[in-house]
Amino acid sequence: MRVAPDLMRILTYFFGLALTAGGVFSQGQTVPPVPAAHVSEQIQRPDFTITNVSATSAGIIAYNPAGRYLAVAGNTTIQIYDIGARDRSKPNLTRTLSAHAAQILGVGFSGTNTLVSVSADQTAKIWDIETGKVLHTAQLQLAKQLCFAIAPARGLAADTSFGRVRMWNFQTGEVVKSFEPGDSWASVLAFTPDEKSLVIGTEKGVLRVMD
């Protein structure tokens, strides 16, 4: 049967007339291609690249306040790179800190040469990165699955152990404040840049700021 092809030709004809009448294009004229958008973005090269580092978890890196050292935490070790040298294209691995027995949850510089690390081995450690020695160890009580944030200048850390958001002193392990999100489980934590407030995000998309 030729009904379907004939009907298709008729519809195509009237569709072409409608486009012509509407000023879209005239019969026999092809639709001009849409020009590609002009891209002004410039792709820059990195200042330096570090290869062969230990496998890192999301966010487990930290700069010291002077911008000279970079701490990169892997599973149970922390690598310290000197990136303040004259030739920034070749950062030097100066120390590998190894004293934790389980996954490192977070790191942060509390001074120019002092690094704080918190681990799932239930300890917080304070390191002298120039000597690689542990200056202090505090015992903690952490759950296995948690979110974590650290405010090194204030000597505080926060986590989501045991259904609550807890803020504690990483030098003593003492819990100083605790919060209960209430509506849902806390899924992310972050201290503000001045370390005066803690931002709590929940699985329902609610953000709370706690002093």
Side-chain angles (χ1 to χ4, degrees), residues 65 107-111 114-116 118 126 149-158 166-179 190-199 209-211:
V107 296
F109 282 92
S110 62
T114 306
L115 182 74
V116 179
V118 176
I126 301 176
I150 188 169
R154 291 186 61 193
L156 296 175
R166 308 182 310 163
M167 190 180 299
W168 39 272
N169 185 317
F170 59 67
Q171 296 187 16
T172 64
E174 177 186 4
V175 176
V176 296
K177 290 183 180 180
S178 63
F179 315 104
F191 282 97
T192 54
D194 60 6
E195 300 186 357
K196 293 182 178 180
S197 301
L198 177 67
V199 182
V209 180
M210 312 296 293
D211 292 331

Side-chain angles (χ1 to χ4, degrees), residues 135-150:
L135 303 177
H136 178 73
T137 299
Q139 297 297 319
L140 311 174
Q141 291 184 342
L142 303 173
K144 292 183 179 180
Q145 301 294 329
L146 55 84
C147 300
F148 178 81
I150 188 169

Side-chain angles (χ1 to χ4, degrees), residues 19-211:
L19 293 176
T20 303
V24 179
F25 57 88
S26 61
Q27 291 182 344
Q29 180 181 353
T30 59
V31 179
V34 179
H38 177 67
V39 179
S40 59
E41 178 183 0
Q42 295 182 354
I43 300 176
Q44 298 183 352
R45 293 181 178 273
D47 292 336
F48 59 88
T49 301
I50 300 175
T51 59
N52 299 321
V53 299
S54 58
T56 59
S57 300
I60 313 299
I61 60 175
Y63 270 107
N64 79 323
R68 176 176 178 179
Y69 294 110
L70 175 67
V72 181
N75 184 22
T76 61
T77 63
I78 305 169
Q79 294 176 323
I80 305 296
Y81 291 89
D82 184 350
I83 59 173
R86 181 173 300 178
D87 186 1
R88 286 175 56 86
S89 64
K90 298 178 180 179
N92 296 320
L93 175 62
T94 60
R95 294 284 176 187
T96 297
L97 311 179
S98 304
H100 284 297
Q103 175 68 50
I104 295 172
L105 303 174
V107 296
F109 282 92
S110 62
T112 302
N113 298 318
T114 306
L115 182 74
V116 179
S117 62
V118 176
S119 168
D121 65 4
Q122 308 296 323
T123 65
K125 296 185 183 296
I126 301 176
W127 308 77
D128 183 333
I129 63 170
E130 289 192 340
T131 64
K133 294 182 178 180
V134 177
L135 303 177
H136 178 73
T137 299
Q139 297 297 319
L140 311 174
Q141 291 184 342
L142 303 173
K144 292 183 179 180
Q145 301 294 329
L146 55 84
C147 300
F148 178 81
I150 188 169
R154 291 186 61 193
L156 296 175
D159 71 83
T160 55
S161 294
F162 314 114
R164 295 173 295 168
V165 177
R166 308 182 310 163
M167 190 180 299
W168 39 272
N169 185 317
F170 59 67
Q171 296 187 16
T172 64
E174 177 186 4
V175 176
V176 296
K177 290 183 180 180
S178 63
F179 315 104
E180 293 186 3
D183 56 344
S184 62
W185 187 260
S187 57
V188 64
L189 300 175
F191 282 97
T192 54
D194 60 6
E195 300 186 357
K196 293 182 178 180
S197 301
L198 177 67
V199 182
I200 305 169
T202 71
E203 293 177 342
K204 290 187 177 180
V206 179
L207 293 176
R208 291 183 174 87
V209 180
M210 312 296 293
D211 292 331

